[in-house]
Amino acid sequence: RGAARELNIQEAPRDGLLAEIDTTKLANYGKLWDQFKSPDYITFDDKLYGVNFAWGPTIIVYNTDEIATEPTSWNALLDEQYNGKIATWNYPLQIGQYALLLDPKPANPFELTDEQLAQVKDILVQQRPLVRKYWDLGGEVAELFKNKEIVIADGWSWITLQIKAEGTNVAEAAPAEGVTGWSDSWCISKNAQDYDLALKWADWMIGDEGQVGITEVMNYSITNKDAAATLPPERQQELRLADVATEYAKIHMWQFIPNYDKWVQVWNEATQG
């Protein structure tokens, strides 16, 4: 997702692993909101290496039967009243999320000094005794809510949908400090046997049918403004598509971490003791 997974998309183009995207062969490219045509996380040296098809923020998910007032801060995931009933994603990139609690708040939560990393580590160490589960898969979060093992967690909108489908009353909250977020793109290997066929798949996925399907199956926000316009107004609102420019601007999109080895060390030391 975004720019920080096992395949480091910010290094892959430089290493010659990915093929440049020929947008003239994408019939649906013109339907994308400008934010998703050539975002920084898939554009390098003015060349595009991905076809952006979905996006969304990491938000707070909470049980409305147990928490009556909507949380307004990431501090809710450090609140002792939820001791033993908190879950948070087990991934070093989450340091960026908790960096939003620093004072002063960094302009870019993915560019932290050693001092700021140490401050985030203190936050995570403070949180550790309160955490029921550092989750790895979204299905784990849904199961924890279903079994009433947790009442609050960070997560994504598709997780919220799954939890609701299983009968638990949950809602989402976007903390006032801001949110981090992800954006998914189709990339093509430099060694792809059929580049044009792969590009046709990516084009279909940003087309109206593919995009509406993404909203129905995954509850993701989509990138095609024409497809979004076919959704009911309340659904557009739910998926943050009514005013994409405003919603997108709230998100600190995941990005490559130059000193990621330090992030991994800090995360492991803070969460594993």
Side-chain angles (χ1 to χ4, degrees):
R1 278 215 167 132
R5 277 297 194 182
E6 286 72 18
L7 171 62
N8 186 331
I9 193 172
Q10 288 200 299
E11 293 298 327
R14 300 187 182 99
D15 292 342
L17 300 178
L18 297 181
E20 183 181 355
I21 300 298
D22 183 353
T23 59
T24 66
K25 295 183 177 181
L26 296 174
N28 295 301
Y29 183 73
K31 298 180 180 181
L32 301 183
W33 273 287
D34 289 343
Q35 286 83 354
F36 309 109
K37 288 182 176 178
S38 56
D40 292 344
Y41 40 83
I42 51 175
T43 305
F44 309 97
D45 299 327
D46 296 322
K47 296 180 180 180
L48 184 66
Y49 288 93
V51 182
N52 212 169
F53 70 94
W55 61 283
T58 302
I59 36 75
I60 287 177
V61 184
Y62 65 101
N63 185 319
T64 54
D65 293 332
E66 301 292 335
I67 302 176
T69 304
E70 177 180 331
T72 59
S73 170
W74 289 114
N75 277 314
L77 295 180
L78 290 86
D79 195 325
E80 292 187 358
Q81 67 176 311
Y82 308 131
N83 186 6
K85 295 185 177 182
I86 296 170
T88 191
W89 187 27
N90 185 27
Y91 200 60
L93 197 66
Q94 284 292 82
I95 286 173
Q97 172 177 291
Y98 290 102
L100 295 172
L101 288 171
L102 298 181
D103 184 16
K105 182 171 65 176
N108 184 341
F110 300 109
E111 294 181 359
L112 303 178
T113 65
D114 288 347
E115 180 181 0
Q116 289 170 321
L117 276 174
Q119 291 172 339
V120 175
K121 183 178 180 180
D122 289 342
I123 292 173
L124 294 172
V125 169
Q126 173 191 343
Q127 181 194 48
R128 186 174 65 211
L130 309 177
V131 174
R132 170 67 181 85
K133 176 73 173 179
Y134 292 100
W135 61 270
D136 295 300
L137 301 173
E140 293 179 66
V141 185
E143 193 69 16
L144 290 166
F145 272 104
K146 178 183 176 181
N147 295 337
K148 302 186 185 302
E149 295 180 62
I150 63 171
V151 298
I152 191 168
D154 47 33
W156 307 304
S157 291
W158 72 264
I159 299 175
T160 306
L161 184 67
Q162 182 175 337
I163 297 168
K164 288 181 176 179
E166 294 180 352
T168 301
N169 295 321
V170 293
E172 297 179 352
E177 298 92 0
V179 295
T180 60
W182 55 272
S183 190
D184 282 356
S185 304
W186 290 102
C187 302
I188 302 176
S189 169
K190 194 71 174 286
N191 298 319
Q193 293 183 15
D194 194 330
Y195 172 87
D196 286 341
L197 183 60
L199 202 60
K200 285 182 179 179
W201 167 257
D203 194 33
W204 186 84
M205 287 296 290
I206 61 170
D208 293 1
E209 185 178 357
Q211 289 279 278
V212 172
I214 289 169
T215 67
E216 294 173 344
V217 176
M218 298 303 296
N219 207 36
Y220 285 171
S221 301
I222 54 177
T223 59
N224 180 326
K225 58 181 181 293
D226 290 359
T230 68
L231 301 175
E234 61 274 14
R235 186 65 169 146
Q236 294 183 42
Q237 192 69 37
E238 183 180 32
L239 293 175
R240 303 172 180 84
L241 299 172
D243 186 353
V244 166
T246 298
E247 293 296 331
Y248 188 82
K250 296 176 182 178
I251 304 174
H252 298 276
M253 285 295 183
W254 298 348
Q255 60 184 248
F256 174 60
I257 312 297
N259 58 339
Y260 191 62
D261 56 335
K262 287 187 178 180
W263 284 48
V264 173
Q265 180 181 352
V266 167
W267 181 262
N268 289 340
E269 290 176 353
T271 61
Q272 298 175 18

